Coordinates of all heavy atoms in Angstrom, one line a residue:
M258 N 24.3 -38.3 -18.2 CA 24.6 -37.1 -17.5 C 23.4 -36.3 -17.4 O 22.7 -36.1 -18.4 CB 25.7 -36.3 -18.3 CG 26.3 -35.2 -17.6 SD 27.9 -35.7 -17.2 CE 28.4 -34.6 -16.0
A259 N 23.1 -35.7 -16.2 CA 21.9 -34.9 -16.0 C 22.1 -33.5 -16.6 O 23.2 -33.0 -16.7 CB 21.7 -34.7 -14.5
H260 N 21.0 -33.0 -17.1 CA 21.0 -31.7 -17.8 C 20.9 -30.5 -16.8 O 21.2 -29.4 -17.1 CB 19.9 -31.6 -18.8 CG 20.2 -32.5 -20.0 ND1 21.3 -32.5 -20.7 CD2 19.4 -33.4 -20.6 CE1 21.2 -33.4 -21.7 NE2 20.1 -34.0 -21.6
T261 N 20.3 -30.8 -15.6 CA 20.1 -29.8 -14.6 C 20.8 -30.2 -13.3 O 21.1 -31.4 -13.1 CB 18.6 -29.6 -14.3 OG1 18.1 -30.8 -13.8 CG2 17.9 -29.1 -15.5
K262 N 21.1 -29.2 -12.5 CA 21.7 -29.5 -11.2 C 20.7 -30.2 -10.3 O 19.5 -30.1 -10.5 CB 22.2 -28.2 -10.5 CG 23.5 -27.7 -11.1 CD 24.0 -26.6 -10.2 CE 25.4 -26.2 -10.7 NZ 26.0 -25.3 -9.7
A263 N 21.2 -30.8 -9.2 CA 20.3 -31.4 -8.2 C 19.4 -30.3 -7.6 O 19.8 -29.2 -7.5 CB 21.1 -32.1 -7.2
Q264 N 18.3 -30.7 -7.2 CA 17.3 -29.7 -6.6 C 17.8 -29.1 -5.4 O 17.3 -28.0 -5.0 CB 15.9 -30.4 -6.4 CG 15.3 -30.9 -7.7 CD 15.0 -29.7 -8.6 OE1 14.6 -28.7 -8.2 NE2 15.4 -29.9 -9.9
G265 N 18.7 -29.6 -4.7 CA 19.2 -29.0 -3.4 C 19.9 -27.7 -3.6 O 19.9 -26.9 -2.8
A266 N 20.4 -27.5 -4.8 CA 21.1 -26.2 -5.1 C 20.1 -25.1 -5.2 O 20.4 -23.9 -5.0 CB 21.9 -26.3 -6.3
V267 N 18.9 -25.4 -5.6 CA 17.9 -24.4 -5.9 C 17.0 -24.1 -4.7 O 16.3 -23.1 -4.6 CB 17.0 -24.8 -7.1 CG1 15.9 -23.8 -7.4 CG2 17.9 -25.1 -8.3
K268 N 17.0 -25.0 -3.7 CA 16.1 -24.9 -2.6 C 16.2 -23.6 -1.8 O 15.2 -23.0 -1.4 CB 16.4 -26.1 -1.6 CG 15.3 -26.3 -0.6 CD 15.6 -27.4 0.3 CE 15.3 -28.8 -0.4 NZ 15.5 -29.9 0.5
G269 N 17.4 -23.1 -1.6 CA 17.6 -21.8 -0.8 C 17.6 -20.6 -1.7 O 18.1 -19.5 -1.2
N270 N 17.1 -20.7 -2.9 CA 17.3 -19.6 -3.9 C 16.0 -18.7 -3.9 O 15.6 -18.2 -5.0 CB 17.6 -20.1 -5.2 CG 18.1 -19.1 -6.2 OD1 18.5 -18.0 -5.7 ND2 18.2 -19.4 -7.4
R271 N 15.3 -18.6 -2.8 CA 14.1 -17.8 -2.7 C 14.3 -16.5 -2.0 O 15.2 -16.3 -1.3 CB 13.0 -18.6 -2.0 CG 12.6 -19.8 -2.7 CD 11.4 -20.5 -2.0 NE 11.3 -21.9 -2.3 CZ 11.8 -22.9 -1.5 NH1 12.3 -22.6 -0.3 NH2 11.7 -24.1 -1.9
D272 N 13.5 -15.5 -2.3 CA 13.6 -14.2 -1.7 C 12.4 -14.0 -0.8 O 11.3 -14.4 -1.1 CB 13.6 -13.1 -2.7 CG 14.2 -11.8 -2.2 OD1 14.7 -11.8 -1.1 OD2 14.2 -10.8 -3.0
S273 N 12.6 -13.3 0.3 CA 11.5 -13.0 1.3 C 10.6 -11.9 0.7 O 11.0 -11.0 -0.1 CB 12.0 -12.7 2.6 OG 12.8 -11.5 2.6
I274 N 9.4 -11.8 1.2 CA 8.4 -10.8 0.9 C 8.9 -9.5 1.6 O 9.2 -9.5 2.7 CB 7.0 -11.1 1.3 CG1 6.6 -12.4 0.6 CG2 6.0 -10.0 1.0 CD1 5.3 -13.1 1.2
S275 N 8.9 -8.3 0.8 CA 9.3 -7.1 1.4 C 8.2 -6.6 2.4 O 7.0 -6.9 2.2 CB 9.5 -6.0 0.3 OG 8.3 -5.7 -0.3
K276 N 8.6 -5.9 3.4 CA 7.7 -5.5 4.5 C 7.1 -4.1 4.4 O 6.3 -3.7 5.2 CB 8.5 -5.6 5.9 CG 9.1 -6.9 6.2 CD 8.0 -8.0 6.2 CE 8.7 -9.3 6.5 NZ 8.0 -10.4 5.9
R277 N 7.5 -3.4 3.3 CA 6.9 -2.0 3.0 C 7.1 -1.1 4.2 O 6.2 -0.4 4.6 CB 5.4 -2.1 2.7 CG 5.2 -2.5 1.2 CD 5.3 -3.9 1.0 NE 4.8 -4.3 -0.4 CZ 4.9 -5.5 -0.8 NH1 5.4 -6.5 -0.1 NH2 4.4 -5.8 -2.1
L278 N 8.3 -1.0 4.7 CA 8.6 -0.1 5.8 C 9.1 1.2 5.3 O 9.3 1.4 4.1 CB 9.8 -0.7 6.7 CG 9.6 -2.1 7.3 CD1 10.8 -2.5 8.0 CD2 8.4 -2.1 8.2
G279 N 9.1 2.2 6.2 CA 9.6 3.5 5.8 C 8.6 4.6 6.1 O 7.5 4.4 6.7
V280 N 8.9 5.9 5.7 CA 8.1 7.0 6.0 C 6.9 7.0 4.9 O 7.2 6.9 3.7 CB 8.9 8.3 5.9 CG1 8.0 9.5 6.1 CG2 10.0 8.3 6.9
K281 N 5.7 7.1 5.4 CA 4.5 7.1 4.5 C 4.1 8.5 4.2 O 3.6 8.8 3.1 CB 3.4 6.3 5.1 CG 3.8 4.9 5.5 CD 4.3 4.1 4.3 CE 4.7 2.7 4.7 NZ 5.3 2.0 3.6
I282 N 4.1 9.4 5.2 CA 3.7 10.8 5.0 C 4.9 11.7 5.4 O 5.4 11.6 6.5 CB 2.5 11.2 5.8 CG1 1.3 10.3 5.3 CG2 2.1 12.6 5.7 CD1 0.0 10.5 5.9
F283 N 5.4 12.5 4.5 CA 6.6 13.3 4.7 C 6.4 14.6 5.4 O 5.2 15.0 5.5 CB 7.4 13.5 3.4 CG 7.9 12.2 2.8 CD1 7.1 11.4 2.0 CD2 9.1 11.7 3.2 CE1 7.5 10.2 1.5 CE2 9.6 10.5 2.7 CZ 8.8 9.7 1.8
G284 N 7.4 15.3 5.9 CA 7.3 16.5 6.6 C 6.7 17.6 5.7 O 6.9 17.7 4.5
G285 N 5.8 18.4 6.3 CA 5.0 19.4 5.7 C 3.7 19.0 5.0 O 2.9 19.8 4.6
E286 N 3.5 17.7 4.9 CA 2.2 17.2 4.4 C 1.1 17.2 5.4 O 1.4 17.0 6.6 CB 2.4 15.8 3.8 CG 3.3 15.8 2.6 CD 3.4 14.4 2.0 OE1 2.9 13.4 2.6 OE2 4.0 14.3 0.9
S287 N -0.1 17.4 5.0 CA -1.2 17.4 5.9 C -1.6 15.9 6.2 O -1.4 15.0 5.4 CB -2.4 18.1 5.4 OG -2.8 17.6 4.2
I288 N -2.2 15.7 7.4 CA -2.5 14.3 7.8 C -3.8 14.4 8.6 O -4.1 15.4 9.3 CB -1.4 13.7 8.6 CG1 -1.6 12.2 8.8 CG2 -1.2 14.4 9.9 CD1 -0.4 11.5 9.4
A289 N -4.6 13.3 8.5 CA -5.8 13.1 9.3 C -5.5 12.2 10.5 O -4.5 11.4 10.5 CB -6.9 12.5 8.5
A290 N -6.3 12.3 11.5 CA -6.1 11.5 12.7 C -6.3 10.0 12.4 O -7.1 9.7 11.6 CB -7.1 11.9 13.8
G291 N -5.4 9.2 12.9 CA -5.4 7.8 12.7 C -4.6 7.3 11.5 O -4.4 6.1 11.3
N292 N -4.0 8.2 10.7 CA -3.2 7.8 9.6 C -1.8 7.4 10.0 O -1.2 7.9 11.0 CB -3.1 8.9 8.5 CG -4.4 9.1 7.7 OD1 -5.4 8.4 8.0 ND2 -4.3 10.0 6.8
I293 N -1.2 6.5 9.3 CA 0.2 6.0 9.6 C 1.2 7.0 9.0 O 1.1 7.4 7.8 CB 0.4 4.6 9.0 CG1 -0.5 3.6 9.7 CG2 1.9 4.2 9.1 CD1 -0.5 2.2 9.1
I294 N 2.2 7.4 9.8 CA 3.2 8.3 9.4 C 4.5 7.5 9.0 O 5.0 7.7 8.0 CB 3.5 9.3 10.5 CG1 2.3 10.1 10.9 CG2 4.6 10.3 10.0 CD1 2.5 11.0 12.1
V295 N 4.9 6.6 9.9 CA 6.1 5.8 9.7 C 5.9 4.4 10.1 O 5.3 4.1 11.1 CB 7.3 6.4 10.6 CG1 8.6 5.5 10.3 CG2 7.6 7.8 10.3
R296 N 6.3 3.4 9.2 CA 6.4 2.0 9.6 C 7.8 1.7 9.7 O 8.6 1.9 8.8 CB 5.7 1.2 8.5 CG 4.3 1.6 8.2 CD 3.2 0.6 8.4 NE 3.6 -0.8 8.4 CZ 3.0 -1.8 9.1 NH1 2.1 -1.4 9.9 NH2 3.4 -3.0 9.0
Q297 N 8.2 1.0 10.9 CA 9.6 0.8 11.1 C 9.8 -0.4 12.0 O 8.9 -0.9 12.6 CB 10.2 2.0 11.8 CG 9.5 2.4 13.1 CD 10.0 3.7 13.7 OE1 11.0 4.3 13.3 NE2 9.3 4.1 14.8
K298 N 11.0 -0.9 12.0 CA 11.4 -2.0 13.0 C 12.3 -1.3 14.0 O 13.4 -0.8 13.7 CB 12.2 -3.1 12.2 CG 11.4 -3.8 11.3 CD 10.3 -4.6 12.0 CE 9.4 -5.4 11.0 NZ 8.2 -5.7 11.6
G299 N 11.9 -1.2 15.2 CA 12.6 -0.5 16.3 C 12.3 1.0 16.2 O 11.6 1.4 15.3
T300 N 12.9 1.7 17.1 CA 12.6 3.2 17.2 C 13.7 4.0 16.4 O 14.5 4.6 17.0 CB 12.5 3.7 18.6 OG1 13.7 3.2 19.3 CG2 11.3 3.1 19.3
K301 N 13.7 3.9 15.1 CA 14.5 4.8 14.3 C 14.0 6.2 14.4 O 14.7 7.2 14.5 CB 14.5 4.4 12.8 CG 15.4 5.1 11.9 CD 15.4 4.5 10.6 CE 16.4 5.3 9.7 NZ 16.6 4.7 8.4
F302 N 12.6 6.3 14.5 CA 11.9 7.6 14.7 C 11.2 7.4 16.0 O 10.6 6.4 16.3 CB 11.0 8.0 13.6 CG 11.6 8.3 12.3 CD1 11.8 7.3 11.4 CD2 12.1 9.6 12.0 CE1 12.4 7.6 10.1 CE2 12.6 9.8 10.8 CZ 12.8 8.9 9.9
H303 N 11.2 8.5 16.9 CA 10.4 8.4 18.1 C 9.1 9.2 18.0 O 9.0 10.1 17.2 CB 11.3 9.0 19.2 CG 12.5 8.2 19.5 ND1 12.5 7.2 20.4 CD2 13.8 8.2 19.0 CE1 13.7 6.6 20.5 NE2 14.5 7.2 19.6
S304 N 8.2 8.9 18.8 CA 6.9 9.5 18.8 C 6.9 10.8 19.6 O 7.4 10.9 20.7 CB 5.9 8.6 19.5 OG 4.6 9.1 19.5
G305 N 6.4 11.9 18.9 CA 6.3 13.2 19.5 C 4.9 13.6 19.8 O 4.0 12.8 19.9
P306 N 4.6 14.9 20.0 CA 3.3 15.4 20.3 C 2.3 15.0 19.2 O 2.6 15.0 18.0 CB 3.4 16.9 20.3 CG 4.9 17.1 20.6 CD 5.6 16.0 20.0
N307 N 1.1 14.6 19.6 CA 0.0 14.2 18.7 C 0.3 13.0 17.9 O -0.3 12.8 16.8 CB -0.5 15.4 17.8 CG -1.0 16.6 18.6 OD1 -1.6 16.4 19.6 ND2 -0.6 17.8 18.2
T308 N 1.2 12.1 18.4 CA 1.4 10.9 17.7 C 1.5 9.8 18.7 O 1.7 10.0 19.9 CB 2.8 10.9 16.9 OG1 3.8 11.2 17.8 CG2 2.7 12.0 15.8
T309 N 1.3 8.5 18.3 CA 1.4 7.4 19.1 C 2.3 6.3 18.5 O 2.5 6.3 17.3 CB 0.0 6.7 19.4 OG1 -0.5 6.3 18.1 CG2 -0.9 7.6 20.1
L310 N 3.0 5.6 19.4 CA 3.9 4.5 18.9 C 3.2 3.2 19.2 O 2.9 2.8 20.4 CB 5.2 4.6 19.7 CG 6.3 3.7 19.3 CD1 6.8 4.1 17.9 CD2 7.4 3.7 20.3
G311 N 3.0 2.4 18.2 CA 2.3 1.1 18.3 C 3.2 0.0 18.8 O 4.4 0.2 18.9
R312 N 2.6 -1.2 19.0 CA 3.4 -2.3 19.4 C 4.5 -2.7 18.4 O 5.5 -3.3 18.8 CB 2.5 -3.5 19.7 CG 1.8 -3.5 21.0 CD 1.1 -4.8 21.3 NE 0.6 -5.4 20.1 CZ 0.3 -6.7 20.0 NH1 0.6 -7.5 20.9 NH2 -0.1 -7.2 18.8
D313 N 4.2 -2.5 17.1 CA 5.2 -2.9 16.1 C 6.0 -1.7 15.7 O 6.6 -1.6 14.6 CB 4.5 -3.5 14.9 CG 3.4 -2.6 14.3 OD1 3.1 -1.5 14.9 OD2 3.0 -2.9 13.2
Y314 N 6.0 -0.6 16.6 CA 6.8 0.6 16.4 C 6.3 1.5 15.2 O 7.0 2.4 14.8 CB 8.3 0.3 16.1 CG 8.9 -0.4 17.3 CD1 9.2 -1.8 17.2 CD2 9.2 0.2 18.5 CE1 9.8 -2.5 18.3 CE2 9.8 -0.4 19.5 CZ 10.1 -1.8 19.4 OH 10.6 -2.5 20.5
T315 N 5.0 1.3 14.8 CA 4.4 2.1 13.8 C 4.0 3.4 14.5 O 3.3 3.4 15.5 CB 3.2 1.4 13.2 OG1 3.6 0.2 12.6 CG2 2.5 2.3 12.2
I316 N 4.3 4.6 13.9 CA 3.9 5.8 14.4 C 2.7 6.3 13.7 O 2.7 6.4 12.4 CB 5.1 6.9 14.3 CG1 6.2 6.4 15.1 CG2 4.6 8.2 14.8 CD1 7.4 7.3 15.1
T317 N 1.6 6.6 14.4 CA 0.4 7.1 13.8 C 0.0 8.4 14.4 O 0.4 8.8 15.5 CB -0.8 6.1 14.1 OG1 -0.9 5.9 15.5 CG2 -0.5 4.7 13.4
S318 N -0.8 9.2 13.7 CA -1.3 10.5 14.1 C -2.5 10.3 15.0 O -3.4 9.5 14.7 CB -1.6 11.3 12.8 OG -2.3 12.5 13.2
T319 N -2.6 11.2 16.0 CA -3.8 11.2 16.9 C -4.6 12.5 16.7 O -5.7 12.6 17.3 CB -3.4 11.1 18.3 OG1 -2.5 12.2 18.7 CG2 -2.7 9.8 18.6
A320 N -4.1 13.4 15.8 CA -4.9 14.6 15.5 C -4.7 15.0 14.1 O -3.7 14.6 13.4 CB -4.4 15.7 16.4
N321 N -5.6 15.9 13.6 CA -5.4 16.4 12.2 C -4.4 17.5 12.3 O -4.3 18.3 13.3 CB -6.8 17.0 11.7 CG -7.8 15.9 11.6 OD1 -7.5 14.8 11.4 ND2 -9.1 16.3 11.8
G322 N -3.6 17.7 11.2 CA -2.6 18.7 11.2 C -1.6 18.4 10.1 O -1.8 17.8 9.1
T323 N -0.3 19.0 10.3 CA 0.8 18.7 9.4 C 1.9 18.0 10.1 O 2.1 18.2 11.3 CB 1.3 20.1 8.9 OG1 1.7 20.9 10.0 CG2 0.3 20.8 8.0
V324 N 2.6 17.2 9.4 CA 3.7 16.3 9.9 C 4.9 17.2 10.0 O 5.2 17.9 9.1 CB 3.9 15.1 9.1 CG1 5.0 14.3 9.6 CG2 2.6 14.2 9.0
N325 N 5.7 17.0 11.1 CA 7.0 17.7 11.2 C 8.0 16.7 11.8 O 7.7 16.0 12.8 CB 6.8 18.9 12.2 CG 8.0 19.8 12.3 OD1 8.8 19.8 11.3 ND2 8.2 20.4 13.4
F326 N 9.2 16.7 11.2 CA 10.3 15.8 11.8 C 11.3 16.8 12.4 O 11.6 17.8 11.8 CB 10.9 15.1 10.6 CG 10.1 14.0 10.0 CD1 9.2 14.3 9.0 CD2 10.1 12.7 10.5 CE1 8.4 13.3 8.5 CE2 9.3 11.7 10.0 CZ 8.4 12.0 9.0
K327 N 11.8 16.4 13.6 CA 12.8 17.2 14.2 C 13.8 16.3 15.0 O 13.5 15.2 15.3 CB 12.2 18.2 15.1 CG 11.4 17.6 16.3 CD 10.8 18.7 17.2 CE 10.2 18.1 18.4 NZ 9.7 19.1 19.3
M328 N 15.0 16.9 15.2 CA 16.0 16.2 16.0 C 16.1 16.9 17.4 O 16.1 18.1 17.5 CB 17.4 16.4 15.3 CG 17.5 15.6 14.0 SD 18.0 13.9 14.3 CE 19.7 14.1 14.8
Q329 N 16.2 16.0 18.4 CA 16.4 16.5 19.8 C 17.3 15.6 20.5 O 17.1 14.4 20.5 CB 15.1 16.5 20.6 CG 14.2 17.8 20.4 CD 13.1 17.8 21.3 OE1 12.7 16.8 21.9 NE2 12.5 19.0 21.5
R330 N 18.4 16.1 20.9 CA 19.5 15.3 21.6 C 19.9 14.1 20.8 O 20.0 13.0 21.4 CB 19.0 14.9 23.0 CG 18.7 16.1 23.9 CD 18.3 15.6 25.3 NE 17.7 16.6 26.1 CZ 16.4 16.8 26.2 NH1 15.5 16.0 25.6 NH2 15.9 17.8 26.9
G331 N 20.0 14.3 19.6 CA 20.5 13.2 18.7 C 19.5 12.2 18.3 O 19.8 11.2 17.7
K332 N 18.2 12.4 18.7 CA 17.2 11.4 18.3 C 16.2 12.1 17.3 O 15.9 13.3 17.4 CB 16.4 11.0 19.5 CG 17.2 10.1 20.5 CD 16.4 9.6 21.6 CE 17.2 8.8 22.6 NZ 16.5 8.3 23.7
K333 N 15.6 11.3 16.4 CA 14.7 11.8 15.4 C 13.3 11.7 16.0 O 12.9 10.6 16.5 CB 14.8 11.1 14.1 CG 16.1 11.2 13.4 CD 16.1 10.3 12.2 CE 17.5 10.1 11.7 NZ 17.6 9.1 10.6
F334 N 12.5 12.8 16.0 CA 11.1 12.8 16.5 C 10.2 13.1 15.4 O 10.5 13.9 14.5 CB 11.0 13.8 17.7 CG 11.5 13.3 19.0 CD1 12.9 13.5 19.3 CD2 10.7 12.6 19.9 CE1 13.4 13.0 20.5 CE2 11.2 12.1 21.1 CZ 12.6 12.3 21.4
V335 N 9.0 12.6 15.5 CA 7.9 12.9 14.6 C 6.8 13.6 15.4 O 6.4 13.0 16.4 CB 7.3 11.6 13.9 CG1 6.2 12.0 12.9 CG2 8.4 10.9 13.1
E336 N 6.3 14.7 14.9 CA 5.2 15.4 15.6 C 4.2 15.8 14.6 O 4.5 16.0 13.4 CB 5.7 16.5 16.5 CG 6.3 17.7 15.7 CD 6.8 18.8 16.5 OE1 6.9 18.6 17.8 OE2 7.2 19.8 16.0
V337 N 2.9 16.0 15.1 CA 1.9 16.6 14.2 C 1.5 17.9 14.8 O 1.0 18.0 16.0 CB 0.7 15.6 14.2 CG1 -0.5 16.2 13.4 CG2 1.1 14.3 13.5
K338 N 1.6 19.0 14.0 CA 1.2 20.3 14.5 C -0.2 20.6 14.0 O -0.5 20.4 12.9 CB 2.2 21.4 13.9 CG 3.6 21.2 14.5 CD 4.4 22.4 14.1 CE 5.7 22.3 14.8 NZ 6.5 23.6 14.9
T339 N -1.0 20.9 15.0 CA -2.4 21.2 14.7 C -2.6 22.7 14.4 O -1.8 23.6 14.9 CB -3.3 20.8 15.8 OG1 -2.9 21.5 17.0 CG2 -3.3 19.4 16.0
A340 N -3.6 23.0 13.6 CA -3.8 24.5 13.2 C -4.5 25.2 14.2 O -5.1 24.7 15.1 CB -4.5 24.5 11.8

């Protein structure tokens, strides 16, 4: 009698690498131009003033300032307010 199960039972028992998605810089925090604000899959957050939306839906800052999150017509927007 075998002491361990057949290897087929263990083959699918792996976990995928996490993608480190989410908000990186929160509302009210200061940010420099080019920094990542949100990493996401799809447009959970939309790009507002002084931000850009990348091909992989990453929102980055295009200006120095403070991050602000707001809702408009049921959608979440991220903007950077400059001083």
